Amino acid sequence: MHALTGLSPIRLAALVGIPVPQARKIVSVAHRKGALPRGIPQVTRETMAAVVANCHIPALEIVARESSAVDPFQKLVLASHAFERPVRFETVRIPLEKSGRFSVCVSSQAGCALACAFCATGRLGLERNLEAWEIVEQVRLVNATLTKGERVSGVVFQGMGEPMANLDRVLQAIEVITDPSALAIDARNLTVCTAGIPSGILRLANEAPNVRLALSIGSARKDVRRSLMPIDRAHAFDEVIDACVEHTKKTGYSPMWAVTPLAGVNDTDEDALALADLARRFTERAGKRPRISVIPFNAIEGDPFARSPRHRAFRDVMASVGVFSHERYSGAGDIGASCGQLAAKV
Ligand code: SF4
């Protein structure tokens, strides 16, 4: 059985052998109602029978819903019973500047194999890749928490897991999230974040050129990056940056570079100057500047790291050589929903 909510109309039509216009109607109803009614106008009985025989609409269990006391973030802890072994993962509703607009930070894997030193998910190890429908359903469930006039207008693949390590399903989910008959979210408001998998970055540029890219830098000093992000041993940072240049040339979009200063680890003037130099070289090659986001570190239990007190100094050092950055607000630390804190705990 195929999960209907993980299929775009074109995939559904090809899988079940039905006309695309009827597949559009079916997908639209499935996403609006979360179920398949018996009859849909303009959908023949034969088509409906083929869909019912081949597809189902699975659901995720909402294990917990936690709202931050300090800002309007909300975290959903979800469970999937799709396979023999149930898994848990999290999704975060992020308020945008424009009132009534939200972004959803979705998980692409339960756990993560990449073990970045500053990340709670990385400590869990990888349980499994999420299916396309499990990714799409996170957006639909957040949508269902909204009231009249509010809507989800963006999605960031920055929850649990490395999206590029589950790229087939991530791309399939993107098809559904952006399809006008399904969730109809503008692809330009989608961002896929990676710790640095060059082949994935290139594939994203080719197969979803309207989707934006974010790269976790760790540090632009190679030895420091390697000590924080074990993926650096598998994929040299130079190759990651080469792929990032190609992505920018192909899509015309500046990448977002995320850096999280950790006290005494990657927050020195040397780190700031190395990042500024990397950004300058990138700009020369790609023709666009990276948008550098400095993200506050959110400590998790047993953490060997502390938030750097040098954010301002770090940004000032970069600015002194003409490279500008912005400080990103990272909310919901009180409910463990900030960047790097997601661990599917209730
Ligand atoms: S930061 Fe991302 S890639 Fe690194 S361990 Fe955490 S979830 Fe995985």
Side-chain angles (χ1 to χ4, degrees), residues 100-141:
R101 296 288 177 272
F102 296 87
S103 183
V104 187
C105 178
V106 295
S107 295
S108 52
Q109 299 181 308
C112 182
L114 267 48
C116 300
F118 44 78
C119 171
T121 311
R123 292 189 192 169
L124 302 174
L126 176 65
E127 290 200 74
R128 73 163 166 86
N129 286 327
L130 296 187
E131 297 295 313
W133 73 266
E134 292 171 321
I135 300 172
V136 173
E137 192 63 8
Q138 294 173 54
V139 183
R140 217 181 62 81
L141 285 175

Side-chain angles (χ1 to χ4, degrees), residues 99-102 146-152:
S99 163
R101 296 288 177 272
F102 296 87
L146 303 180
T147 53
K148 202 163 176 244
E150 296 181 332
R151 70 181 169 89
V152 170

Side-chain angles (χ1 to χ4, degrees), residues 188-210:
R188 292 170 300 180
N189 296 338
L190 266 55
T191 303
V192 175
C193 308
T194 181
I197 298 184
S199 58
I201 294 172
L202 296 175
R203 199 171 154 208
L204 185 74
N206 286 322
E207 295 185 33
N210 285 324

